[in-house]
Amino acid sequence: MNQILYAGAIGLFLTLIGTPLLIKLLARKGYGQFIRDDGPRGHAGKRGTPTMGGIAFILATLVAYAATKVITGESPTYPGVLVLFLMAGMGVVGFLDDYIKIVKRRSLGLRAGAKMAGQLIVGIVFALLAIRFADDRGQTPASLKVSFVTDFGWTIGPVLFVVWALFMILAMSNGVNLTDGLDGLATGASVMVFGGYTFIGLWQFQNSCANALELTDPASCIEVRDPLDLAVVAAALMGACFGFLWWNTSPAKIFMGDTGSLALGGALAGLAICSRTELLLAVLGGLFVLITMSVVIQVGSFKLTGKRVFRMAPLQHHFELKGWSEVLVVVRFWTIQGICVIAGLGLFYAGWAAS
């Protein structure tokens, strides 16, 4: 429990004091946000706001995790390190995308093929390593079974697992990326989901099969490798994003950029895979799914019928064009995300209680 508190507090402190330093550095170098001309008119005033702010909470999370291990004397675990690797790796891909946008002054950044290749390389490495490094109980960081609140069904094998893991990683990283269109929206939503995963990791640790002899009902134990360390990673991310939100909320002094959004999506997918809650992530991260689906519906409808369902996609911009203020959209979408996290935790507890 102390590890969780240390990780969250250190992550929060580092982004609170570190983000303004990053803002000054990025502003001095002229690394400002490139705003699309076809976006909502109200966004034109955001042009030039420092971007690549994801650097702040990526570094804060890594330092918070390492510092927590030094303070408590606990050793890092493979699941925790792998989730951090996935976060940092996706962040590097996003950083390259942001850097090209800034240097070449074009809104598209990396070519689609190059961006996808980078995501695939990081995702494949994560997936292959996640099914290795078994502990003395034979548990690897990830399972070869699909999971909801725990593993179910048949073993899908390593090849299909890699494909499934890549789908999750790409879906979540791009889902967070699409959500990152309004000040604080993606950051605040991510704080809630990481808070949910902090709770899940702690609950799984208290009911882990590794502690079966200490449980009142060993038959209901949960098979997850090092869940407490996953909670530590989630807490570090939650604290770091919370501190970043202080500077990212409206009016934003800095944007996370693709550096941050791809990293957060990767971290969410990694936590879901390693905590055996893969399908549950669709509920916990319901806002990201909703916004992603709005884009799918918009593109699909236009290609099939030539008509648009929304005034603009992603969904948050549709409501802006309907006259909602940016802050109103963000607060209401945060409310939706909060409901999703509560529903996800309810399903998690119900699934555990029924087992």
Side-chain angles (χ1 to χ4, degrees):
M1 187 64 180
N2 286 341
Q3 291 189 71
I4 295 174
L5 296 175
Y6 285 135
I10 295 172
L12 173 65
F13 175 76
L14 289 176
T15 47
L16 278 176
I17 66 168
T19 304
L21 299 178
L22 180 63
I23 292 172
K24 292 179 181 179
L25 174 63
L26 294 173
R28 189 180 306 123
K29 291 183 173 292
Y31 289 175
Q33 178 69 32
F34 186 96
I35 303 296
R36 292 167 48 190
D37 294 329
D38 59 347
R41 292 181 180 178
H43 289 205
K46 300 181 180 184
R47 191 184 306 272
T49 301
T51 188
M52 296 193 294
I55 294 172
F57 56 73
I58 291 172
L59 292 178
T61 300
L62 295 174
V63 173
Y65 180 82
T68 296
K69 296 303 175 182
V70 172
I71 293 170
T72 61
E74 299 290 339
S75 299
T77 68
Y78 285 114
V81 171
L82 282 173
V83 173
L84 293 175
F85 161 78
L86 183 57
M87 174 197 70
M90 296 298 285
V92 169
V93 176
F95 173 82
L96 294 174
D97 190 45
D98 286 332
Y99 187 76
I100 290 174
K101 289 178 186 176
I102 294 168
V103 172
K104 295 192 175 182
R105 294 294 174 182
R106 63 176 189 179
S107 62
L108 296 179
L110 276 174
R111 300 295 181 188
K115 188 173 182 179
M116 178 65 73
Q119 292 176 297
L120 288 175
I121 291 171
V122 174
I124 289 172
V125 172
F126 166 82
L128 291 176
L129 293 177
I131 53 177
R132 298 177 61 85
F133 307 115
D135 60 12
D136 53 6
R137 299 177 57 251
Q139 289 290 318
T140 53
S143 169
L144 292 179
K145 293 183 178 181
V146 177
S147 60
F148 182 50
V149 297
T150 186
D151 288 343
F152 70 87
W154 297 279
T155 300
I156 61 176
V159 175
L160 286 180
F161 168 76
V162 171
V163 173
W164 170 237
L166 285 175
F167 170 77
M168 288 193 61
I169 293 166
L170 293 174
M172 286 311 302
S173 59
N174 288 291
V176 178
N177 184 252
L178 290 171
T179 304
D180 182 34
L182 302 182
D183 294 353
L185 178 58
T187 309
S190 297
V191 167
M192 298 181 205
V193 186
F194 289 130
Y197 269 111
T198 301
F199 173 85
I200 287 173
L202 183 58
W203 187 276
Q204 289 177 331
F205 170 72
Q206 293 174 338
N207 296 277
S208 172
C209 291
N211 305 325
L213 294 178
E214 304 172 12
L215 299 176
T216 56
D217 183 14
S220 64
C221 68
I222 299 174
E223 285 285 6
V224 174
R225 169 86 185 266
D226 300 310
L228 181 60
D229 210 41
L230 293 176
V232 172
V233 172
L237 279 159
M238 178 178 64
C241 287
F242 219 149
F244 181 75
L245 184 61
W246 181 270
W247 306 101
N248 180 233
T249 194
S250 183
K253 300 295 188 297
I254 188 170
F255 300 137
M256 69 169 69
D258 283 14
T259 305
S261 59
L262 295 188
L264 292 180
L268 288 170
L271 286 169
I273 291 169
C274 291
S275 65
R276 314 290 203 269
T277 57
E278 295 159 357
L279 296 178
L280 185 64
L281 180 58
V283 181
L284 289 166
L287 180 64
F288 304 127
V289 175
L290 177 65
I291 288 176
T292 301
M293 289 307 299
S294 73
V295 175
V296 173
I297 292 170
Q298 183 86 325
V299 173
S301 175
F302 187 75
K303 287 187 175 181
L304 292 174
T305 67
K307 297 181 180 179
R308 292 179 173 86
V309 176
F310 308 106
R311 295 188 181 185
M312 181 179 287
L315 188 61
Q316 62 268 31
H317 299 318
H318 167 78
F319 288 103
E320 278 191 290
L321 294 181
K322 287 190 67 175
W324 292 18
S325 69
E326 180 174 2
V327 172
L328 180 62
V329 175
V330 170
V331 171
R332 287 184 174 174
F333 275 39
W334 279 352
T335 302
I336 293 172
Q337 179 54 57
I339 293 171
C340 290
V341 171
I342 292 171
L345 292 178
L347 288 171
F348 173 78
Y349 178 78
W352 173 82
S355 62

